[in-house]
Amino acid sequence: MKPTDRQLAFIQAHEKEDVHALALRYKGEDMPFLLAQIAGRQVAEKKIPSWYRNRELLYPQQLSLEQASSELTARYKASLVTGGDLLADLTGGMGVDFSFLAPLFRRALYVEKDEELCRLAKHNFAVLDLKQAEVHHIEGEALLPQLPLAELIYLDPARRDVGGKKVFRIEECSPDLSLLADRLLEKGEQVMIKYSPMLDITLAVKTLHQVSEVHVVSVENECKELLFLLRKESVESLCHAVNLKKGGERELLSFTPGEEEQEAPYSMVPGRFLYEPNASILKAGGFNVTAHRYRLQKLHKHSHLYTGDRLVGNFPGRIFRVEEWFGANRKEIRRFVAAVPKTNITVRNYPHSVAEIRKRWGLTEGGDNYLFATTLYDGQKVWISCSKL
């Protein structure tokens, strides 16, 4: 399993090159392995930097890399856990999440049905000095009956069907946790499940039962994953919309479904400032609670843009100063385009897409101006011209 000096030299010499071009230039029995390591290091450089810095770690085929967590999101998961005697990761995969969770436990079970991934895991966990790690080559569901009580059971169900097509519904993922949730809670004091951000959160909470927390996790305002924490006690689910930033900062808005039921206040016109929530808040559906928590007004029920005359510096999202706004009629738009031919366009609850607006009015991308095409409370279609704070 450990690469030879010649293989390590080849990987280091070519790790910045295109793997498809390398496959055409070089032949040999070990080329699939070498190309997988080069592709893996190229992904890890940005996605898992601490792994990238360790040249002894080995990487699986691209599909496992695709579903693997980033270092930022793996560290976030670890921050939610207090640790204890036993961790059981029943869908081990590439082992990134496992490698950050395992140090919190005295014993950590990595369970994976793929033999090659198990071989890689044994090598990598030794390199990472995870002495508490135990690798089990078995289906997670098959191990469940003999599993002792664990403080944490972790799962990241596979999101591709037998034909390799991406799937998103809980019932389509493997394992199907709609059938396993209750059994998991018999074996784990807490169950943490990672799913695609494409999943419907409300439906997932109903399907999984006893969901105590939902974490909608974004990195640099791009929604990456949903985490569901299950506990035996039946409580109202608490939703955490978190946006992780590479500098170490994070934006966090936590709320209950009950808080979101309170209708938001509305403004008939844009105020001095315009607020756009981050991607996690939009995915979590924290629309009304955002207005109440930051004492802002919504422009329209379905626009999900907020306004006010005072600056809210800790708002979890983007903040803009409103320069002007006008009804989206031909005369006003032509006047604006003549003055501002280059702008960054965002569409919120508007009948035309960004591409359609650009094509119709000849606007180019970029510059310091930010344009929001949206709908006000009374149904009026408007353009709001802003500068970013």
Side-chain angles (χ1 to χ4, degrees):
M1 176 59 72
K2 186 177 180 179
T4 65
D5 290 341
R6 181 191 66 79
Q7 290 174 325
L8 287 172
F10 183 91
I11 293 167
Q12 187 166 355
H14 299 284
E15 72 170 40
K16 301 296 183 183
E17 297 180 38
D18 181 83
V19 291
H20 301 292
L22 287 171
L24 296 174
R25 285 165 51 198
Y26 296 95
K27 305 297 178 186
E29 288 184 6
D30 60 351
M31 279 310 296
F33 168 77
L34 294 174
L35 294 174
Q37 300 318 301
I38 291 170
R41 287 188 57 75
Q42 289 173 352
V43 172
E45 184 174 10
K46 291 184 178 179
K47 193 171 187 178
I48 327 163
S50 67
W51 279 39
Y52 174 77
R53 290 191 293 269
N54 191 329
R55 291 195 167 274
E56 295 183 53
L57 293 172
L58 299 179
Y59 298 89
Q61 296 301 313
Q62 195 65 30
L63 184 59
S64 296
L65 276 170
E66 178 187 293
Q67 187 166 325
S69 295
S70 68
E71 181 163 338
L72 272 176
T73 58
R75 289 189 184 277
Y76 178 74
K77 294 182 189 74
S79 74
L80 305 177
V81 177
T82 55
D85 286 321
L86 181 62
L87 158 72
D89 183 341
L90 299 185
T91 55
M94 186 172 159
V96 176
D97 284 323
F98 179 88
S99 72
F100 287 94
L101 289 168
L104 302 172
F105 296 85
R106 281 177 280 278
R107 186 183 176 203
L109 310 185
Y110 167 97
V111 184
E112 172 57 53
K113 63 181 180 179
D114 185 282
E115 186 176 2
E116 177 63 18
L117 287 176
C118 286
R119 282 200 295 267
L120 286 170
K122 284 182 180 179
H123 170 86
N124 286 342
F125 298 157
V127 170
L128 293 169
D129 197 30
L130 295 176
K131 293 183 173 63
Q132 64 275 72
E134 301 175 19
V135 175
H136 295 264
H137 177 215
I138 188 175
E139 186 97 39
E141 189 174 352
L143 182 72
L144 201 54
Q146 53 191 293
L147 184 70
L149 185 65
E151 276 81 5
L152 177 67
I153 296 177
Y154 177 74
L155 302 101
D156 180 6
R159 297 190 287 274
R160 287 185 182 271
D161 62 18
V162 290
K165 181 182 176 183
K166 284 187 178 182
V167 295
F168 303 107
R169 295 176 63 247
I170 288 176
E171 294 81 1
E172 296 173 326
C173 296
S174 178
D176 176 2
L177 298 188
S178 67
L179 305 176
L180 280 181
D182 292 336
R183 287 170 58 193
L184 291 169
L185 280 171
E186 292 174 2
K187 292 291 187 173
E189 293 181 7
Q190 179 174 271
V191 178
M192 181 187 293
I193 306 167
K194 170 187 167 184
Y195 276 117
S196 161
M198 299 296 290
L199 189 69
D200 182 292
I201 294 175
T202 303
L203 183 59
V205 169
K206 291 178 180 178
T207 302
L208 294 172
H209 312 300
Q210 292 176 286
V211 175
S212 62
E213 296 181 30
V214 179
H215 294 254
V216 183
V217 185
S218 292
V219 175
E220 297 291 350
N221 205 32
E222 182 181 351
C223 200
K224 293 293 187 179
E225 58 190 48
L226 304 179
L227 300 175
F228 297 87
L229 270 61
L230 282 60
R231 294 188 179 94
K232 292 182 174 69
E233 318 88 58
S234 181
V235 294
E236 184 179 29
S237 299
L238 183 62
C239 187
H240 306 275
V242 60
N243 179 35
L244 306 174
K245 300 186 177 182
K246 291 176 182 176
E249 306 90 5
R250 64 175 62 167
E251 296 172 335
L252 176 64
L253 177 66
S254 301
F255 62 95
T256 65
E259 289 179 282
E260 177 57 23
E261 289 176 2
Q262 185 180 0
E263 188 71 15
Y266 291 90
S267 176
M268 297 299 292
V269 297
R272 289 178 59 199
F273 299 100
L274 190 72
Y275 298 85
E276 180 189 36
N278 64 42
S280 283
I281 293 174
L282 293 174
K283 174 61 185 179
F287 307 129
N288 295 329
V289 71
T290 296
H292 290 291
R293 194 73 56 86
Y294 296 96
R295 292 190 292 150
L296 296 169
Q297 296 81 47
K298 290 192 74 175
L299 291 182
H300 185 280
K301 182 175 182 179
H302 303 299
S303 294
H304 308 319
L305 292 170
Y306 303 78
T307 194
D309 289 328
R310 64 184 184 88
L311 180 61
V312 181
N314 64 337
F315 182 80
R318 298 198 297 173
I319 308 173
F320 302 86
R321 187 186 305 276
V322 175
E323 303 297 343
E324 67 164 329
W325 66 276
F326 50 87
N329 59 71
R330 188 178 299 272
K331 179 182 177 182
E332 289 288 353
I333 290 175
R334 282 179 172 171
R335 175 192 61 77
F336 173 80
V337 172
V340 188
K342 180 183 286 190
T343 184
N344 304 278
I345 303 175
T346 298
V347 167
R348 288 278 186 268
N349 188 26
Y350 193 78
H352 302 126
S353 68
V354 172
E356 288 170 336
I357 291 173
R358 291 202 181 283
K359 182 177 180 181
R360 182 175 182 183
W361 300 106
L363 286 163
T364 56
E365 176 72 28
D368 298 325
N369 184 266
Y370 291 79
L371 176 67
F372 287 84
T374 189
T375 303
L376 296 185
Y377 182 76
D378 62 0
Q380 182 185 7
K381 304 295 184 287
V382 298
W383 284 18
I384 307 174
S385 176
C386 306
S387 56
K388 190 177 180 183
L389 294 181

